Amino acid sequence: MKTFYFDTETYPIRPGLMAPKLVCLQHAYDEDEPRVVLAKDSVGIFYEAFTNPNVLCEAHNEPFDLAVAAAHAEDLVQPIFRMLAEGRGRDTQ
Protein backbone atom coordinates (compact mmCIF):
# COMPACT_ATOMS: atom_id res chain seq x y z
CA MET A 1 0.00 0.00 0.00
CA LYS A 2 1.30 3.44 -0.96
CA THR A 3 1.03 6.39 1.42
CA PHE A 4 -0.30 9.78 0.33
CA TYR A 5 1.07 12.43 2.68
CA PHE A 6 -0.77 15.74 2.57
CA ASP A 7 -1.22 19.09 4.28
CA THR A 8 -3.56 21.94 3.47
CA GLU A 9 -2.80 25.62 3.84
CA THR A 10 -5.79 27.88 4.35
CA TYR A 11 -6.98 31.35 5.08
CA PRO A 12 -7.17 31.97 8.86
CA ILE A 13 -9.64 30.12 11.06
CA ARG A 14 -12.19 32.44 12.63
CA PRO A 15 -15.26 31.99 14.84
CA GLY A 16 -17.95 30.11 12.95
CA LEU A 17 -15.54 28.99 10.20
CA MET A 18 -13.66 25.88 11.23
CA ALA A 19 -12.86 24.80 7.66
CA PRO A 20 -11.54 27.96 6.01
CA LYS A 21 -10.94 28.43 2.31
CA LEU A 22 -8.13 26.31 0.85
CA VAL A 23 -5.09 28.18 -0.48
CA CYS A 24 -2.86 25.28 -1.51
CA LEU A 25 -2.16 21.59 -1.05
CA GLN A 26 1.24 20.12 -0.20
CA HIS A 27 1.46 16.41 -1.02
CA ALA A 28 3.72 13.49 -1.79
CA TYR A 29 3.57 9.72 -2.21
CA ASP A 30 6.07 7.72 -0.15
CA GLU A 31 9.59 8.79 -1.18
CA ASP A 32 8.53 11.22 -3.93
CA GLU A 33 9.54 14.86 -3.72
CA PRO A 34 6.76 16.93 -2.16
CA ARG A 35 4.73 19.12 -4.49
CA VAL A 36 2.64 22.20 -3.84
CA VAL A 37 -0.42 22.97 -5.95
CA LEU A 38 -2.90 25.80 -5.76
CA ALA A 39 -6.41 25.08 -4.50
CA LYS A 40 -7.83 25.15 -8.04
CA ASP A 41 -5.57 22.23 -8.99
CA SER A 42 -6.11 20.11 -5.86
CA VAL A 43 -9.44 18.35 -6.39
CA GLY A 44 -8.19 15.72 -8.83
CA ILE A 45 -5.20 14.96 -6.62
CA PHE A 46 -7.40 14.52 -3.55
CA TYR A 47 -9.93 12.45 -5.49
CA GLU A 48 -7.29 10.09 -6.86
CA ALA A 49 -5.83 9.44 -3.41
CA PHE A 50 -9.14 9.15 -1.55
CA THR A 51 -10.69 6.72 -4.06
CA ASN A 52 -7.69 4.43 -4.56
CA PRO A 53 -8.09 1.35 -2.31
CA ASN A 54 -4.31 0.84 -2.36
CA VAL A 55 -3.50 4.25 -0.86
CA LEU A 56 -3.25 5.18 2.82
CA CYS A 57 -3.95 8.90 3.34
CA GLU A 58 -1.87 10.43 6.14
CA ALA A 59 -1.80 13.96 7.56
CA HIS A 60 -0.96 15.78 10.78
CA ASN A 61 -4.35 16.90 12.18
CA GLU A 62 -6.08 14.99 9.42
CA PRO A 63 -9.66 15.85 10.52
CA PHE A 64 -8.95 19.52 9.80
CA ASP A 65 -7.36 18.81 6.40
CA LEU A 66 -10.24 16.53 5.40
CA ALA A 67 -12.81 19.14 6.48
CA VAL A 68 -10.99 21.74 4.39
CA ALA A 69 -10.94 19.39 1.38
CA ALA A 70 -14.66 18.62 1.78
CA ALA A 71 -15.53 22.32 2.11
CA HIS A 72 -13.44 23.07 -0.97
CA ALA A 73 -15.13 20.47 -3.19
CA GLU A 74 -18.45 18.82 -2.37
CA ASP A 75 -17.53 15.93 -4.69
CA LEU A 76 -14.88 14.87 -2.15
CA VAL A 77 -17.30 14.29 0.75
CA GLN A 78 -18.32 10.74 -0.18
CA PRO A 79 -14.78 9.63 -1.14
CA ILE A 80 -13.49 10.98 2.20
CA PHE A 81 -16.05 9.05 4.23
CA ARG A 82 -15.50 5.90 2.14
CA MET A 83 -11.72 6.17 2.61
CA LEU A 84 -12.17 6.54 6.38
CA ALA A 85 -14.66 3.64 6.54
CA GLU A 86 -12.09 1.47 4.76
CA GLY A 87 -9.49 2.35 7.42
CA ARG A 88 -7.24 4.17 4.97
CA GLY A 89 -6.86 7.42 6.93
CA ARG A 90 -4.14 8.09 9.47
CA ASP A 91 -3.63 11.14 11.67
CA THR A 92 -0.08 11.65 12.96
CA GLN A 93 -1.11 14.05 15.71
Side-chain angles (χ1 to χ4, degrees):
M1 182 170 283
K2 291 191 330 184
T3 302
F4 174 71
Y5 303 96
F6 68 103
D7 183 37
T8 61
E9 299 301 331
T10 68
Y11 286 88
I13 295 171
R14 64 178 195 264
L17 183 63
M18 298 308 293
K21 186 176 177 182
L22 180 65
V23 174
C24 66
L25 166 66
Q26 301 171 69
H27 67 96
Y29 281 95
D30 296 320
E31 301 299 321
D32 292 347
E33 287 293 317
R35 294 182 50 215
V36 177
V37 297
L38 295 176
K40 66 181 182 72
D41 300 320
S42 67
V43 177
I45 295 165
F46 278 132
Y47 191 85
E48 181 181 312
F50 296 160
T51 60
N52 186 331
N54 298 311
V55 171
L56 173 70
C57 299
E58 181 176 290
H60 191 71
N61 195 7
E62 187 173 57
F64 173 78
D65 292 317
L66 293 175
V68 167
H72 178 65
E74 188 178 299
D75 292 348
L76 295 175
V77 174
Q78 289 302 318
I80 288 169
F81 280 103
R82 191 174 308 111
M83 177 264 298
L84 293 173
E86 293 171 354
R88 294 186 301 105
R90 183 166 50 198
D91 184 1
T92 60
Q93 191 174 30

